Amino acid sequence: MSSMDDRKKAFENKYAHDAEMQFKAEARRDKKLAIWASELLGIDAADYTRALIKADMELAGAEDVIGKLIEDLSGKADEATIRSKVAEYDAEAKEEIMNEV
């Protein structure tokens, strides 16, 4: 029984660690996106970072962030460019997080 408990605890710890790493990567991705978008919009990056992170809390995944960026960057960047930046910054953020561990 003890080995099953140990396995269960190890699985729970790994799940919690993976969830934490995913959260950190998404927050880092959102910050990178906010800096990029704020430069296009000519607004303060810190304020836009907070707005984008708040938008990211609405739904699971990146679709809420993509939707906000599409709305805010209308006329400055098309959806394909936005999705490309999301993928680029997502990969960068995950790599950075993994290198920190």
Side-chain angles (χ1 to χ4, degrees):
M1 198 64 156
S2 177
S3 75
M4 287 300 284
D5 290 339
D6 291 345
R7 288 180 65 190
K8 180 181 175 186
K9 184 73 169 171
F11 179 78
E12 289 171 352
N13 288 342
K14 181 181 179 342
Y15 180 82
H17 178 265
D18 291 351
E20 180 183 359
M21 294 297 106
Q22 181 67 26
F23 178 80
K24 286 180 179 182
E26 287 175 7
R28 189 170 294 195
R29 176 204 65 206
D30 292 348
K31 184 175 181 182
K32 290 172 177 283
L33 287 166
I35 291 168
W36 170 72
S38 66
E39 288 173 0
L40 291 176
L41 294 168
I43 61 175
D44 181 61
D47 291 338
Y48 197 72
T49 299
R50 284 188 288 278
L52 201 59
I53 289 173
K54 182 178 177 186
D56 193 22
M57 300 299 172
E58 293 175 14
L59 301 171
E63 287 304 312
D64 44 2
V65 171
I66 292 169
K68 177 159 181 53
L69 289 168
I70 290 170
E71 181 181 320
D72 293 349
L73 295 176
S74 178
K76 301 204 184 283
D78 63 6
E79 184 175 347
T81 301
I82 291 167
R83 288 187 181 278
S84 174
K85 284 293 185 184
V86 170
E88 175 187 341
Y89 291 143
D90 192 50
E92 280 182 18
K94 286 177 181 175
E95 184 175 335
E96 289 171 3
I97 293 295
M98 293 306 292
N99 289 334
E100 291 175 0
V101 175

